Amino acid sequence: MYRKKVLTLILSATLAMTALSACGSAREGSAPAEAPAANEAAADTSADAKTDNAQDTSEAAPAGAGFEAGATIGISLPWLGTQNWKEAETMFTEQLTEAGYNPIVQAADQKVPQQQQQIESMIENGAKAIVVGPIDGTQLGSVLEQAKAAGVYVIGYDRLIENTEAVDGVVQFGSVRTGVMQGQALLDGLKEKKGEGPYNVELFGGGPADPNAPNFFKGAMSVLQPEIDAGNIVIVSGQTDFTQCATEDWDNSKAQKRMDSLLAGNYSDKEIDGVLSPNDGIGRAIITSCEDAGQQIPVVTGLDAENESVEWVWQGKQYCTVAKPTQDLVAKTVEIINSLQAGNGMPATDVSTNNGKIDVPIYELDPVVVTKDNAKEVFANDPDRMALLK
Ligand code: BGC
Protein backbone atom coordinates (compact mmCIF):
# COMPACT_ATOMS: atom_id res chain seq x y z
CA MET A 1 0.00 0.00 0.00
CA TYR A 2 1.32 3.40 -0.91
CA ARG A 3 -0.24 6.41 0.68
CA LYS A 4 1.18 9.82 0.84
CA LYS A 5 0.04 12.98 2.53
CA VAL A 6 1.03 16.13 0.78
CA LEU A 7 0.96 18.82 3.42
CA THR A 8 4.22 20.43 2.55
CA LEU A 9 3.35 20.40 -1.07
CA ILE A 10 0.01 22.01 -0.38
CA LEU A 11 1.77 24.58 1.61
CA SER A 12 3.86 25.46 -1.38
CA ALA A 13 0.69 25.64 -3.42
CA THR A 14 -1.19 27.94 -1.08
CA LEU A 15 0.45 29.91 1.69
CA ALA A 16 3.95 29.95 0.35
CA MET A 17 2.90 30.90 -3.15
CA THR A 18 1.22 34.04 -2.01
CA ALA A 19 3.87 34.72 0.59
CA LEU A 20 6.70 34.51 -1.85
CA SER A 21 5.23 36.40 -4.73
CA ALA A 22 6.40 39.56 -3.01
CA CYS A 23 10.00 38.51 -2.58
CA GLY A 24 10.91 37.01 -5.93
CA SER A 25 11.26 33.40 -4.87
CA ALA A 26 10.75 30.67 -7.44
CA ARG A 27 8.70 28.53 -5.08
CA GLU A 28 5.54 29.27 -7.10
CA GLY A 29 6.71 26.87 -9.75
CA SER A 30 6.71 23.97 -7.35
CA ALA A 31 2.97 23.49 -7.17
CA PRO A 32 1.95 20.40 -9.10
CA ALA A 33 -1.28 20.47 -11.08
CA GLU A 34 -2.92 17.69 -9.11
CA ALA A 35 -2.57 19.42 -5.74
CA PRO A 36 -5.67 18.75 -3.63
CA ALA A 37 -7.81 21.64 -2.46
CA ALA A 38 -6.26 23.76 0.26
CA ASN A 39 -9.08 23.13 2.72
CA GLU A 40 -8.67 19.39 2.32
CA ALA A 41 -5.02 19.66 3.21
CA ALA A 42 -5.67 22.14 5.98
CA ALA A 43 -7.78 19.58 7.77
CA ASP A 44 -4.80 17.27 8.03
CA THR A 45 -2.54 18.98 10.47
CA SER A 46 -1.46 16.00 12.52
CA ALA A 47 2.01 15.80 11.11
CA ASP A 48 4.27 16.71 8.25
CA ALA A 49 4.04 14.92 4.94
CA LYS A 50 4.69 11.26 5.49
CA THR A 51 4.59 7.95 3.81
CA ASP A 52 3.64 4.96 5.86
CA ASN A 53 6.08 2.57 4.34
CA ALA A 54 9.59 2.73 3.10
CA GLN A 55 9.05 1.38 -0.36
CA ASP A 56 9.05 4.58 -2.35
CA THR A 57 12.12 6.65 -1.63
CA SER A 58 14.45 4.77 0.66
CA GLU A 59 14.41 1.41 -1.10
CA ALA A 60 14.84 3.14 -4.41
CA ALA A 61 17.99 4.94 -3.21
CA PRO A 62 20.91 3.00 -4.62
CA ALA A 63 23.74 2.14 -2.27
CA GLY A 64 26.60 4.37 -3.32
CA ALA A 65 30.14 3.43 -4.11
CA GLY A 66 31.36 5.10 -0.93
CA PHE A 67 34.32 7.47 -0.71
CA GLU A 68 37.62 7.77 1.09
CA ALA A 69 37.62 8.04 4.88
CA GLY A 70 39.30 11.45 4.97
CA ALA A 71 37.05 12.98 2.31
CA THR A 72 36.13 16.65 2.15
CA ILE A 73 32.58 17.35 3.36
CA GLY A 74 30.94 20.72 2.66
CA ILE A 75 28.54 22.33 5.14
CA SER A 76 26.63 25.34 3.77
CA LEU A 77 24.62 27.24 6.40
CA PRO A 78 22.24 30.12 5.61
CA TRP A 79 23.53 32.55 8.25
CA LEU A 80 24.68 32.63 11.83
CA GLY A 81 21.94 34.95 13.08
CA THR A 82 20.29 32.50 15.47
CA GLN A 83 21.92 30.23 18.03
CA ASN A 84 21.02 26.98 16.25
CA TRP A 85 23.17 27.84 13.21
CA LYS A 86 26.13 28.89 15.36
CA GLU A 87 25.84 25.59 17.22
CA ALA A 88 25.69 23.75 13.89
CA GLU A 89 28.84 25.52 12.68
CA THR A 90 30.78 24.44 15.77
CA MET A 91 29.36 20.93 16.05
CA PHE A 92 29.83 20.04 12.37
CA THR A 93 33.42 21.28 12.46
CA GLU A 94 34.19 19.29 15.62
CA GLN A 95 32.31 16.11 14.82
CA LEU A 96 33.41 15.79 11.19
CA THR A 97 37.02 16.44 12.16
CA GLU A 98 36.76 13.87 14.92
CA ALA A 99 35.34 11.34 12.46
CA GLY A 100 38.40 11.87 10.24
CA TYR A 101 36.83 14.01 7.49
CA ASN A 102 38.04 17.31 6.12
CA PRO A 103 35.12 19.69 6.76
CA ILE A 104 34.54 23.00 4.93
CA VAL A 105 31.92 24.81 7.02
CA GLN A 106 30.58 28.11 5.70
CA ALA A 107 27.65 30.45 6.36
CA ALA A 108 26.20 32.80 3.75
CA ASP A 109 24.83 35.79 5.67
CA GLN A 110 21.32 35.45 4.15
CA LYS A 111 22.70 36.16 0.66
CA VAL A 112 21.63 33.59 -1.93
CA PRO A 113 24.44 34.32 -4.47
CA GLN A 114 27.00 33.94 -1.68
CA GLN A 115 25.54 30.56 -0.74
CA GLN A 116 25.60 29.48 -4.41
CA GLN A 117 29.27 30.48 -4.70
CA GLN A 118 30.20 28.72 -1.48
CA ILE A 119 28.59 25.50 -2.69
CA GLU A 120 30.32 25.82 -6.09
CA SER A 121 33.67 26.13 -4.37
CA MET A 122 32.93 23.10 -2.19
CA ILE A 123 32.32 21.12 -5.40
CA GLU A 124 35.57 22.46 -6.88
CA ASN A 125 37.37 21.44 -3.70
CA GLY A 126 36.29 17.83 -4.22
CA ALA A 127 33.60 17.56 -1.53
CA LYS A 128 32.00 14.09 -1.56
CA ALA A 129 28.90 15.22 0.32
CA ILE A 130 27.44 18.70 0.78
CA VAL A 131 25.04 19.50 3.59
CA VAL A 132 22.85 22.53 2.93
CA GLY A 133 20.57 24.69 5.07
CA PRO A 134 19.19 26.84 2.23
CA ILE A 135 18.55 30.57 2.62
CA ASP A 136 15.82 30.24 0.01
CA GLY A 137 14.50 26.73 -0.47
CA THR A 138 13.93 27.29 -4.18
CA GLN A 139 17.11 29.04 -5.29
CA LEU A 140 19.80 26.34 -5.26
CA GLY A 141 18.58 24.03 -8.01
CA SER A 142 21.27 24.73 -10.59
CA VAL A 143 24.29 24.65 -8.27
CA LEU A 144 23.01 21.46 -6.63
CA GLU A 145 22.49 19.94 -10.06
CA GLN A 146 26.19 20.71 -10.70
CA ALA A 147 26.99 18.91 -7.45
CA LYS A 148 24.99 15.86 -8.52
CA ALA A 149 26.66 15.85 -11.93
CA ALA A 150 30.00 15.73 -10.09
CA GLY A 151 28.79 12.70 -8.08
CA VAL A 152 28.38 14.64 -4.82
CA TYR A 153 25.71 13.63 -2.30
CA VAL A 154 23.39 16.51 -1.30
CA ILE A 155 21.74 16.49 2.12
CA GLY A 156 19.31 19.19 3.25
CA TYR A 157 19.81 20.32 6.82
CA ASP A 158 16.98 21.73 8.98
CA ARG A 159 15.21 23.15 5.90
CA LEU A 160 13.73 21.51 2.82
CA ILE A 161 15.49 22.00 -0.53
CA GLU A 162 12.70 22.70 -2.98
CA ASN A 163 11.96 22.40 -6.64
CA THR A 164 14.94 20.25 -7.66
CA GLU A 165 15.77 16.58 -8.08
CA ALA A 166 19.28 17.24 -6.81
CA VAL A 167 18.73 16.30 -3.19
CA ASP A 168 19.26 12.90 -1.58
CA GLY A 169 17.48 13.53 1.71
CA VAL A 170 16.75 16.12 4.38
CA VAL A 171 17.41 15.95 8.12
CA GLN A 172 14.95 18.11 10.05
CA PHE A 173 12.42 18.50 12.81
CA GLY A 174 8.87 18.25 11.49
CA SER A 175 8.13 21.85 10.56
CA VAL A 176 4.33 21.65 10.42
CA ARG A 177 4.45 19.69 13.66
CA THR A 178 6.63 22.39 15.22
CA GLY A 179 4.01 24.97 14.27
CA VAL A 180 1.19 22.87 15.71
CA MET A 181 3.15 22.74 18.97
CA GLN A 182 3.63 26.52 18.95
CA GLY A 183 -0.08 27.14 18.34
CA GLN A 184 -1.12 24.68 21.05
CA ALA A 185 1.40 26.12 23.52
CA LEU A 186 0.06 29.64 22.89
CA LEU A 187 -3.47 28.43 23.59
CA ASP A 188 -2.38 26.53 26.71
CA GLY A 189 -0.44 29.55 27.94
CA LEU A 190 -3.41 31.88 27.42
CA LYS A 191 -5.64 29.59 29.46
CA GLU A 192 -3.02 29.21 32.16
CA LYS A 193 -1.91 32.84 32.45
CA LYS A 194 -4.81 34.99 31.24
CA GLY A 195 -7.90 33.24 32.60
CA GLU A 196 -11.04 33.05 30.49
CA GLY A 197 -11.08 34.32 26.90
CA PRO A 198 -11.66 35.96 24.57
CA TYR A 199 -7.97 36.77 24.22
CA ASN A 200 -6.36 39.60 22.25
CA VAL A 201 -3.63 38.05 20.13
CA GLU A 202 -1.22 38.96 17.30
CA LEU A 203 0.55 36.59 14.91
CA PHE A 204 4.13 36.55 13.60
CA GLY A 205 5.78 34.33 10.97
CA GLY A 206 9.41 33.75 10.02
CA GLY A 207 11.34 34.64 6.87
CA PRO A 208 9.22 33.88 3.79
CA ALA A 209 12.10 32.43 1.72
CA ASP A 210 12.73 29.77 4.36
CA PRO A 211 10.49 26.78 3.60
CA ASN A 212 10.10 26.16 7.33
CA ALA A 213 8.46 29.51 7.97
CA PRO A 214 5.15 28.99 6.14
CA ASN A 215 5.02 25.47 7.57
CA PHE A 216 5.44 26.71 11.13
CA PHE A 217 2.67 29.25 10.51
CA LYS A 218 0.38 26.74 8.89
CA GLY A 219 0.81 24.29 11.76
CA ALA A 220 0.08 26.99 14.33
CA MET A 221 -2.98 28.25 12.45
CA SER A 222 -4.43 24.75 12.36
CA VAL A 223 -4.78 25.10 16.13
CA LEU A 224 -5.58 28.83 16.32
CA GLN A 225 -8.01 29.29 13.41
CA PRO A 226 -10.86 27.33 15.06
CA GLU A 227 -10.40 29.49 18.18
CA ILE A 228 -10.47 32.63 16.03
CA ASP A 229 -13.59 31.39 14.26
CA ALA A 230 -15.23 30.67 17.62
CA GLY A 231 -14.41 34.19 18.86
CA ASN A 232 -12.20 32.87 21.65
CA ILE A 233 -9.12 34.46 20.10
CA VAL A 234 -9.36 37.95 18.59
CA ILE A 235 -6.62 39.06 16.21
CA VAL A 236 -7.12 42.74 16.96
CA SER A 237 -5.10 43.99 13.96
CA GLY A 238 -6.98 41.62 11.64
CA GLN A 239 -3.64 40.43 10.20
CA THR A 240 -3.95 36.68 9.83
CA ASP A 241 -2.29 35.89 6.47
CA PHE A 242 1.26 34.59 6.43
CA THR A 243 2.18 37.38 4.01
CA GLN A 244 1.09 40.00 6.53
CA CYS A 245 2.72 38.27 9.49
CA ALA A 246 6.02 37.10 7.94
CA THR A 247 9.32 38.62 9.11
CA GLU A 248 11.66 39.22 6.17
CA ASP A 249 15.00 37.39 6.70
CA TRP A 250 13.98 36.39 10.23
CA ASP A 251 15.15 39.87 11.23
CA ASN A 252 14.33 40.52 14.89
CA SER A 253 14.46 44.29 14.49
CA LYS A 254 11.85 44.13 11.70
CA ALA A 255 9.61 42.07 13.98
CA GLN A 256 10.09 44.58 16.78
CA LYS A 257 9.10 47.46 14.46
CA ARG A 258 6.00 45.61 13.33
CA MET A 259 5.05 44.90 16.95
CA ASP A 260 5.62 48.56 17.86
CA SER A 261 3.22 49.67 15.16
CA LEU A 262 0.65 46.95 15.95
CA LEU A 263 0.59 48.14 19.55
CA ALA A 264 0.49 51.82 18.64
CA GLY A 265 -2.28 51.30 16.09
CA ASN A 266 -4.50 48.83 17.91
CA TYR A 267 -3.80 48.60 21.62
CA SER A 268 -3.93 52.12 23.06
CA ASP A 269 -7.09 51.11 24.95
CA LYS A 270 -6.51 47.35 25.23
CA GLU A 271 -4.18 44.81 26.77
CA ILE A 272 -2.52 42.28 24.53
CA ASP A 273 -2.80 38.72 25.88
CA GLY A 274 -0.71 36.61 23.54
CA VAL A 275 1.58 36.63 20.52
CA LEU A 276 2.51 33.73 18.24
CA SER A 277 6.24 33.97 17.61
CA PRO A 278 8.02 31.61 15.19
CA ASN A 279 11.35 31.65 17.05
CA ASP A 280 13.07 32.92 20.16
CA GLY A 281 14.80 35.98 18.70
CA ILE A 282 11.50 37.30 17.34
CA GLY A 283 9.80 36.35 20.62
CA ARG A 284 12.24 38.46 22.63
CA ALA A 285 11.79 41.37 20.19
CA ILE A 286 8.01 41.16 20.71
CA ILE A 287 8.37 41.09 24.50
CA THR A 288 10.73 44.07 24.41
CA SER A 289 8.28 46.00 22.26
CA CYS A 290 5.46 45.29 24.75
CA GLU A 291 7.63 46.43 27.65
CA ASP A 292 8.57 49.62 25.79
CA ALA A 293 4.89 50.32 25.13
CA GLY A 294 4.03 49.89 28.82
CA GLN A 295 1.99 46.77 28.10
CA GLN A 296 1.77 43.76 30.36
CA ILE A 297 3.89 40.91 29.03
CA PRO A 298 1.75 38.68 26.80
CA VAL A 299 2.04 34.91 26.45
CA VAL A 300 4.76 34.55 23.79
CA THR A 301 5.95 31.38 22.05
CA GLY A 302 9.36 30.67 20.54
CA LEU A 303 11.69 28.15 18.99
CA ASP A 304 15.32 27.03 19.35
CA ALA A 305 15.76 27.10 23.14
CA GLU A 306 18.29 29.92 22.72
CA ASN A 307 20.18 30.65 25.93
CA GLU A 308 18.60 34.03 26.52
CA SER A 309 15.11 32.67 25.96
CA VAL A 310 15.73 29.68 28.22
CA GLU A 311 16.52 32.24 30.93
CA TRP A 312 13.40 34.24 30.08
CA VAL A 313 11.23 31.11 30.17
CA TRP A 314 12.73 30.25 33.54
CA GLN A 315 12.02 33.80 34.79
CA GLY A 316 8.46 33.65 33.43
CA LYS A 317 9.09 36.44 30.92
CA GLN A 318 8.70 34.30 27.76
CA TYR A 319 5.99 31.65 28.13
CA CYS A 320 7.65 28.88 26.14
CA THR A 321 10.14 27.86 23.54
CA VAL A 322 10.36 24.73 21.39
CA ALA A 323 13.59 22.76 21.66
CA LYS A 324 14.96 21.20 18.48
CA PRO A 325 18.42 20.20 19.66
CA THR A 326 21.19 20.96 17.19
CA GLN A 327 23.27 18.11 18.58
CA ASP A 328 20.59 15.63 17.45
CA LEU A 329 20.32 17.14 13.95
CA VAL A 330 24.09 17.19 13.51
CA ALA A 331 24.50 13.65 14.90
CA LYS A 332 21.87 12.33 12.48
CA THR A 333 23.55 14.11 9.57
CA VAL A 334 26.98 12.72 10.46
CA GLU A 335 25.42 9.25 10.74
CA ILE A 336 24.12 9.63 7.16
CA ILE A 337 27.53 10.85 5.94
CA ASN A 338 29.16 7.79 7.55
CA SER A 339 26.68 5.53 5.78
CA LEU A 340 27.48 7.20 2.44
CA GLN A 341 31.22 7.00 3.10
CA ALA A 342 30.99 3.28 3.83
CA GLY A 343 29.17 2.71 0.54
CA ASN A 344 25.83 1.93 2.20
CA GLY A 345 23.93 4.79 0.54
CA MET A 346 21.21 6.83 2.22
CA PRO A 347 19.76 5.06 5.28
CA ALA A 348 16.14 3.90 5.05
CA THR A 349 13.41 6.22 6.26
CA ASP A 350 9.64 5.95 6.07
CA VAL A 351 8.98 9.68 5.77
CA SER A 352 9.06 11.74 2.60
CA THR A 353 7.98 15.18 1.47
CA ASN A 354 7.31 16.32 -2.06
CA ASN A 355 9.55 19.29 -2.85
CA GLY A 356 7.73 20.26 -6.05
CA LYS A 357 9.84 17.90 -8.17
CA ILE A 358 10.42 14.68 -6.23
CA ASP A 359 9.53 12.91 -2.99
CA VAL A 360 12.50 13.70 -0.78
CA PRO A 361 13.39 11.20 1.97
CA ILE A 362 13.09 13.00 5.31
CA TYR A 363 15.01 12.02 8.45
CA GLU A 364 12.62 13.56 10.93
CA LEU A 365 13.33 14.27 14.58
CA ASP A 366 10.89 15.27 17.32
CA PRO A 367 10.79 18.80 18.73
CA VAL A 368 9.54 19.42 22.27
CA VAL A 369 7.72 22.37 23.88
CA VAL A 370 9.59 23.81 26.87
CA THR A 371 7.84 25.79 29.60
CA LYS A 372 9.04 26.62 33.08
CA ASP A 373 7.28 23.47 34.28
CA ASN A 374 9.25 20.94 32.23
CA ALA A 375 12.50 22.83 31.54
CA LYS A 376 14.57 20.81 34.01
CA GLU A 377 13.32 17.56 32.52
CA VAL A 378 13.90 18.61 28.91
CA PHE A 379 17.43 19.88 29.55
CA ALA A 380 18.47 17.08 31.92
CA ASN A 381 21.15 15.99 29.44
CA ASP A 382 22.17 19.50 28.38
CA PRO A 383 24.48 20.88 31.08
CA ASP A 384 24.87 24.27 29.35
CA ARG A 385 21.13 24.94 29.35
CA MET A 386 20.65 23.38 32.79
CA ALA A 387 23.12 25.96 34.10
CA LEU A 388 20.74 28.72 32.93
CA LEU A 389 17.90 27.48 35.15
CA LYS A 390 18.74 29.26 38.36
C1 BGC B 1 15.14 27.21 11.79
C2 BGC B 1 15.01 27.91 13.12
C3 BGC B 1 15.66 29.28 13.08
C4 BGC B 1 15.23 30.05 11.84
C5 BGC B 1 15.98 31.38 11.70
C6 BGC B 1 14.63 28.10 10.71
O1 BGC B 1 14.72 27.48 9.47
O2 BGC B 1 14.42 26.00 11.81
O3 BGC B 1 15.61 27.09 14.09
O4 BGC B 1 15.31 30.01 14.21
O5 BGC B 1 15.43 29.29 10.70
O6 BGC B 1 17.35 31.18 11.64
Side-chain angles (χ1 to χ4, degrees), residues 79 82 84-85 158-159 210 212 216 250 279 303-304 324:
W79 70 324
T82 50
N84 61 307
W85 300 112
D158 191 282
R159 300 176 174 180
D210 172 359
N212 282 340
F216 293 157
W250 288 95
N279 78 354
L303 175 69
D304 292 334
K324 50 188 268 295

Side-chain angles (χ1 to χ4, degrees), residues 35-51:
N39 57 355
E40 187 188 319
D44 182 1
T45 53
S46 56
D48 290 49
K50 284 176 193 281
T51 57

Side-chain angles (χ1 to χ4, degrees), residues 78-85 110 133-135 157-160 172-173 175 178 206-207 210-213 216 249-252 278-282 302-306 322 324 326 329:
W79 70 324
L80 299 175
T82 50
Q83 190 175 324
N84 61 307
W85 300 112
Q110 297 282 37
I135 295 164
Y157 175 84
D158 191 282
R159 300 176 174 180
L160 185 64
Q172 66 174 174
F173 288 85
S175 52
T178 300
D210 172 359
N212 282 340
F216 293 157
D249 288 338
W250 288 95
D251 182 335
N252 300 342
N279 78 354
D280 283 344
I282 292 175
L303 175 69
D304 292 334
E306 292 197 342
V322 175
K324 50 188 268 295
T326 307
L329 270 186

Side-chain angles (χ1 to χ4, degrees), residues 95-374:
Q95 292 184 29
L96 288 172
T97 305
E98 222 167 87
Y101 298 106
N102 170 37
I104 304 176
V105 182
Q106 293 183 314
D109 197 23
Q110 297 282 37
K111 297 184 180 76
V112 172
Q114 191 170 325
Q115 184 164 44
Q116 289 164 337
Q117 280 157 17
Q118 288 175 345
I119 294 171
E120 259 167 36
S121 110
M122 290 169 189
I123 303 168
E124 280 159 20
N125 279 292
K128 297 295 181 202
I130 300 182
V131 174
V132 185
I135 295 164
D136 183 323
T138 65
Q139 294 293 317
L140 294 177
S142 75
V143 68
L144 295 180
E145 276 138 33
Q146 283 173 43
K148 286 271 98 187
V152 180
Y153 287 100
V154 175
I155 304 169
Y157 175 84
D158 191 282
R159 300 176 174 180
L160 185 64
I161 297 171
E162 300 172 284
N163 221 15
T164 177
E165 293 177 10
V167 50
D168 294 292
V170 173
V171 186
Q172 66 174 174
F173 288 85
S175 52
V176 175
R177 185 136 45 107
T178 300
V180 170
M181 287 177 156
Q182 291 173 323
Q184 189 59 50
L186 176 60
L187 198 56
D188 294 346
L190 287 167
K191 287 181 186 154
E192 189 185 317
K193 304 284 179 198
K194 305 288 177 183
E196 289 289 296
Y199 309 108
N200 294 334
V201 168
E202 296 298 334
L203 307 170
F204 281 70
D210 172 359
N212 282 340
N215 276 1
F216 293 157
F217 195 79
K218 180 185 175 82
M221 288 307 275
S222 72
V223 176
L224 300 176
Q225 190 64 53
E227 300 292 327
I228 296 169
D229 294 344
N232 194 31
I233 284 181
V234 181
I235 309 298
V236 178
S237 68
Q239 297 180 13
T240 55
D241 288 342
F242 178 72
T243 36
Q244 297 171 300
C245 302
T247 307
E248 199 66 41
D249 288 338
W250 288 95
D251 182 335
N252 300 342
S253 64
K254 288 186 181 141
Q256 191 160 334
K257 280 200 194 97
R258 176 167 176 255
M259 191 67 202
D260 289 346
S261 60
L262 288 175
L263 290 173
N266 302 280
Y267 289 86
S268 53
D269 57 349
K270 287 183 194 68
E271 292 289 351
I272 182 155
D273 297 310
V275 184
L276 175 75
S277 167
N279 78 354
D280 283 344
I282 292 175
R284 293 194 302 273
I286 290 164
I287 291 169
T288 302
S289 170
C290 291
E291 287 180 323
D292 291 352
Q295 277 274 348
Q296 62 180 10
I297 295 182
V299 172
V300 175
T301 58
L303 175 69
D304 292 334
E306 292 197 342
N307 291 351
E308 205 176 340
S309 282
V310 169
E311 287 175 337
W312 284 24
V313 167
W314 191 245
Q315 292 159 14
K317 204 167 159 183
Q318 180 175 330
Y319 175 69
C320 69
T321 182
V322 175
K324 50 188 268 295
T326 307
Q327 56 268 35
D328 296 351
L329 270 186
V330 170
K332 187 76 206 171
T333 310
V334 173
E335 186 188 313
I336 293 171
I337 292 168
N338 287 338
S339 170
L340 297 173
Q341 188 275 321
N344 296 327
M346 295 296 287
T349 174
D350 59 1
V351 181
S352 72
T353 294
N354 191 285
N355 75 346
K357 280 269 167 73
I358 54 166
D359 289 337
V360 182
I362 304 287
Y363 302 86
E364 193 173 80
L365 307 179
D366 287 328
V368 48
V369 175
V370 187
T371 63
K372 188 171 182 179
D373 290 345
N374 69 351

